[in-house]
Amino acid sequence: MKTLSVTLCFTAVLFSQYSVALTAGSVMKNQGETLTMVCTTEDTDPIGLYLRLRCPEKHEVFYYDIGSKTLTIPPEFEERITVSGDPKKLTVTITSLRVNESGVYSCVFNFFDVKRVEKETNGALLFVKGVKEPSAMPEMLVLVSVLLVCTVFILCVLVTVVWIIPKVKAL
């Protein structure tokens, strides 16, 4: 319940603080899963794409140079991001998601029109849930095991009392 209230509070803060067109809406993923989102623009000849994450401060996830098709990625995202597709419709894939990567992702295209222009187009609100480690023995299995051991013990005591003790007395 505590996690739900924190998540709802986090959502309210993000929606109230940032105005980005959430084309993918809100997405909930488990830790280790993959996020795929499409960054689109109506403008012609984009020269690059930034993917920015607001969590709550803004920082860049990567920069993709469309002409040379090269990615500039910070170390924490290395080997986990791919970009493919048409320059006006790029598919971004982030693998092995981590809990601290929750936030608002926004696509920002770069254009050159006399001077360099940035245009934020679309994005997604991502929640990454931590995966609970399975316990060595679930609670129900422990209870069943204890009941089984007790039952076997009681049966042994009954067999001893009903069958073995009368035979020993008869000797």
Side-chain angles (χ1 to χ4, degrees):
M1 190 63 172
K2 190 177 194 181
T3 305
L4 179 60
S5 61
V6 169
T7 302
L8 292 174
C9 179
F10 182 67
T11 305
V13 168
L14 286 174
F15 277 126
S16 66
Q17 294 294 318
Y18 306 110
S19 59
V20 63
L22 298 174
T23 55
S26 62
V27 180
M28 189 163 295
K29 297 283 187 177
N30 289 321
Q31 182 175 329
E33 290 185 341
T34 299
L35 170 70
T36 301
M37 60 184 284
V38 179
C39 295
T40 59
T41 182
E42 298 296 321
D43 296 316
T44 57
D45 301 324
I47 58 172
L49 170 70
Y50 286 102
L51 184 66
R52 293 195 174 131
L53 170 60
R54 295 174 181 160
C55 181
E57 70 281 346
K58 186 191 296 188
H59 66 275
E60 292 175 4
V61 176
F62 70 79
Y63 177 74
Y64 179 68
D65 185 286
I66 293 173
S68 65
K69 295 186 178 184
T70 56
L71 269 172
T72 304
I73 305 172
E76 65 268 18
F77 285 99
E78 270 188 26
E79 298 186 19
R80 298 193 303 126
I81 294 179
T82 57
V83 179
S84 61
D86 179 76
K88 293 173 75 174
K89 187 177 181 181
L90 293 168
T91 301
V92 176
T93 304
I94 305 173
T95 60
S96 303
L97 291 169
R98 300 174 185 160
V99 173
N100 65 341
E101 294 169 354
S102 296
V104 176
Y105 285 80
S106 58
C107 302
V108 181
F109 282 93
N110 282 337
F111 300 93
F112 194 75
D113 183 24
V114 180
K115 64 178 186 169
R116 186 175 163 147
V117 178
E118 289 187 356
K119 185 173 181 184
E120 189 170 341
T121 58
N122 57 330
L125 174 59
L126 173 67
F127 294 105
V128 181
K129 298 185 300 183
V131 179
K132 287 177 70 176
E133 293 293 322
S135 62
M137 193 177 253
E139 290 177 22
M140 190 59 127
L141 185 57
V142 171
L143 180 62
V144 169
S145 298
V146 169
L147 287 174
L148 183 63
V149 167
C150 289
T151 304
V152 169
F153 178 74
I154 290 172
L155 283 174
C156 289
V157 169
L158 283 174
V159 165
T160 303
V161 169
V162 173
W163 188 60
I164 295 178
I165 293 179
K167 287 195 176 198
V168 171
K169 284 185 179 181
L171 292 176

